[in-house]
Amino acid sequence: MLRKPCKQLEFQHLNPMSLIVQKYGGTSVGDVDRIKQVARRVKETHDAGNQVVVVVSARSGVTNDLIARAKALNPTPDEREMDMLLAVGEQETIALTAMALHALGVPAVSRTGTQAGILTDPAHTRARIKHISGGDIQAQLDAGKVVILAGFQGHAPDGQITTLGRGGSDLSAIAIAAALQADLCQICTDVDGVYTADPRLVPDAQKLDEIAYEEMLELASSGSKVMQSRAVEFAQKFKVIFEVRSSFNHHPGTIVKEEAASMEDVVVSGVALDKNQAKIVVSDLPDRPGTAAKLFNALAAADISVDMIVQNIGRDSKANMTFTVPQDDIYRAEKVVATSFPDEASGKLFEANHIAKVSVVGVGMRSHSGVAAKLFEALADAGINIQLVSTSEIKISVGIEPKDAETAARVVHAAFGLGATD
Ligand code: ASP
Ligand code: MG
């Protein structure tokens, strides 16, 4: 059973004059034609009598290019200068979007993060928002203008430009929506919404009408990256209901909001696949207090984030520890193991392989049993071997051979009835 559509209802209650925040990502403002198209959509919303704040990203590829140039000049660029550089991408698109709106006869004005009073901590390239004054945005809206806000940027207490981490324009949009108490926040992107699985891998994946913040976060951490996770966390904290929708068509998207009782009827709302995991097995560890602490402290000190962990004790009273790390960190993780356990007697690296992680996510798992059994059975029927398992309240993940990943996603999706049109 799919969740009941609710958005039409919610959106019908919008006042004739509502304050709407629309965020357009890098692909949506990727070139001059796309910017024109965004301007036309913004004009429609504005013509309907709404106040509109538009948050834009840099054109797609621009931030990556800027980073590459910085690194070509200096492998460890100064972070303050990095932010000075990266903020340029969004500053280009706000001005161009304002000009495109002017060409359509829409009064519009651009604002940088600093001009919008987005105050952050001083942690350059990954700053956290501390406060938003909004600058003169409300006054500009009241004067009938569309305000175009640069995503991804703010300023530290000492006035220096900061950026909010990759994908940070999502956070800018959610945060300004919270600060202005917007009636609606739309994250306009290159997909139609949040799906039950990646439609490129699972052809009968369905768009979800609604999803809980927590599910969205678990799906993101399991490989379905639709939005910056920090933005979703911020929305959850400040109860900003938002919609993920396409910037290329007018189909309703997915509403992301607090968990509702009706959501519990659906046991699994989505299947996620992460093909960039590596599994590391350390064997012959001494079975005594402090062994795990030593290993995971060393990994934490190397800034390697560990996902699944399994430990078991053999009959010889030696422990085996299996854990997963992002694939990019596999060599660094191997090095940490080798230096933490330098001699064979104290533990040794037994295996380090790439694996894929398939996860099922749903708030309904809290109140339903048998989810793990159904997941394992679906994989068994497809002859797929499970190497490790981890669970949370609303997620079960399995580590499997990368070659089985896509089949696994499909059979699991089908087993939980997610492809049914109902
Ligand atoms: N331009 C920034 C990035 O590429 C921010 C964003 O796109 O949201 O990460
Ligand atoms: Mg982006």
Side-chain angles (χ1 to χ4, degrees):
M1 185 186 74
L2 283 176
R3 286 180 184 158
K4 285 190 236 77
C6 63
K7 66 205 138 287
Q8 280 84 2
L9 265 177
E10 269 170 38
F11 290 178
Q12 267 162 20
H13 294 313
L14 281 178
N15 304 319
M17 200 184 78
S18 298
L19 200 170
I20 301 182
V21 173
Q22 286 182 340
K23 182 256 173 180
Y24 291 92
T27 316
S28 311
V29 292
D31 57 33
V32 170
D33 286 333
R34 292 251 163 108
I35 292 175
K36 273 190 199 158
Q37 203 182 319
V38 164
R40 280 196 290 271
R41 292 178 71 105
V42 172
K43 178 175 161 39
E44 273 170 36
T45 313
H46 186 250
D47 284 353
N50 301 299
Q51 296 191 329
V52 192
V53 175
V54 181
V55 178
V56 286
S57 295
R59 285 182 295 116
S60 56
V62 167
T63 309
N64 286 344
D65 275 358
L66 292 170
I67 293 172
R69 274 184 229 176
K71 297 232 157 130
L73 294 169
N74 186 331
T76 52
D78 180 85
E79 292 193 322
R80 185 234 171 231
E81 300 305 335
M82 205 59 197
D83 277 349
M84 191 62 109
L85 177 70
L86 295 187
V88 169
E90 275 71 12
Q91 202 167 323
E92 177 196 352
T93 44
I94 52 170
L96 292 175
T97 306
M99 291 171 192
L101 281 162
H102 296 162
L104 297 177
V106 180
V109 63
S110 64
R111 290 288 181 262
T112 63
T114 300
Q115 288 170 338
I118 300 181
L119 179 69
T120 72
D121 65 16
H124 282 292
T125 74
R126 53 183 178 282
R128 291 190 167 268
I129 295 178
K130 291 287 168 211
H131 181 256
I132 300 186
S133 75
D136 68 345
I137 291 181
Q138 189 63 61
Q140 295 294 340
L141 293 172
D142 292 342
K145 288 192 186 156
V146 170
V147 177
I148 325 287
L149 172 64
F152 181 52
Q153 51 174 266
H155 69 275
D158 63 354
Q160 303 304 313
I161 294 177
T162 51
T163 62
L164 309 176
R166 296 309 305 271
S169 298
D170 289 334
L171 178 57
S172 306
I174 299 287
I176 198 73
L180 296 171
Q181 297 187 309
D183 299 289
L184 175 61
C185 179
Q186 296 180 317
I187 304 293
C188 305
T189 177
D190 50 3
V191 293
D192 278 5
V194 182
Y195 277 73
T196 51
D198 183 340
R200 287 166 304 185
L201 307 177
V202 182
D204 64 344
Q206 306 284 311
K207 184 173 66 190
L208 292 160
D209 294 314
E210 58 175 8
I211 188 170
Y213 295 121
E214 267 184 278
E215 292 174 321
M216 182 87 172
L217 287 166
E218 288 282 24
L219 285 172
S221 77
S222 308
S224 306
K225 197 127 195 98
V226 178
M227 264 180 84
Q228 192 204 37
S229 294
R230 278 175 61 189
V232 181
E233 282 162 8
F234 193 101
Q236 180 173 29
K237 190 161 160 198
F238 293 96
K239 298 191 176 16
V240 179
I241 297 177
F242 63 91
E243 181 190 19
V244 178
R245 58 148 60 208
S246 169
S247 47
F248 303 122
N249 61 47
H250 285 88
H251 302 158
T254 301
I255 304 292
V256 188
K257 58 181 209 175
E258 250 178 304
E259 185 176 335
S262 64
M263 291 180 174
E264 299 240 333
D265 300 343
V266 180
V267 182
V268 166
S269 54
V271 176
L273 178 59
D274 181 354
K275 292 200 255 181
N276 296 313
Q277 292 276 314
K279 177 184 86 170
I280 295 185
V281 184
V282 188
S283 65
D284 297 328
L285 292 162
D287 176 22
R288 60 165 179 259
T291 302
K294 181 177 168 192
L295 175 58
F296 292 103
N297 273 328
L299 290 162
D303 210 13
I304 296 172
S305 62
V306 173
D307 183 16
M308 303 187 210
I309 301 175
V310 176
Q311 181 194 277
N312 49 37
I313 314 293
R315 268 183 299 191
D316 54 0
S317 288
K318 292 282 192 184
N320 283 344
M321 191 77 79
T322 305
F323 58 94
T324 64
V325 298
Q327 209 173 94
D328 288 346
D329 288 335
I330 185 169
Y331 299 112
R332 293 201 306 124
E334 285 184 55
K335 218 153 129 198
V336 168
V337 172
T339 44
S340 307
F341 304 101
D343 58 280
E344 297 254 315
S346 67
K348 65 171 186 267
L349 181 74
F350 182 69
E351 198 190 320
N353 287 319
H354 292 169
I355 60 158
K357 181 174 79 165
V358 174
S359 308
V360 291
V361 173
V363 291
M365 277 185 211
R366 290 203 187 103
S367 49
H368 290 81
S369 56
V371 182
K374 194 175 207 170
L375 169 66
F376 299 159
E377 199 179 348
L379 294 168
D381 288 347
I384 295 170
N385 190 40
I386 300 167
Q387 300 185 13
L388 64 171
V389 181
S390 78
T391 63
S392 81
E393 239 197 332
I394 63 160
K395 177 172 85 166
I396 304 177
S397 303
V398 294
I400 57 174
E401 279 270 329
K403 70 167 172 50
D404 295 329
E406 293 175 13
T407 312
R410 275 193 285 272
V411 298
V412 170
H413 190 262
F416 286 96
L418 293 172
T421 36
D422 196 37

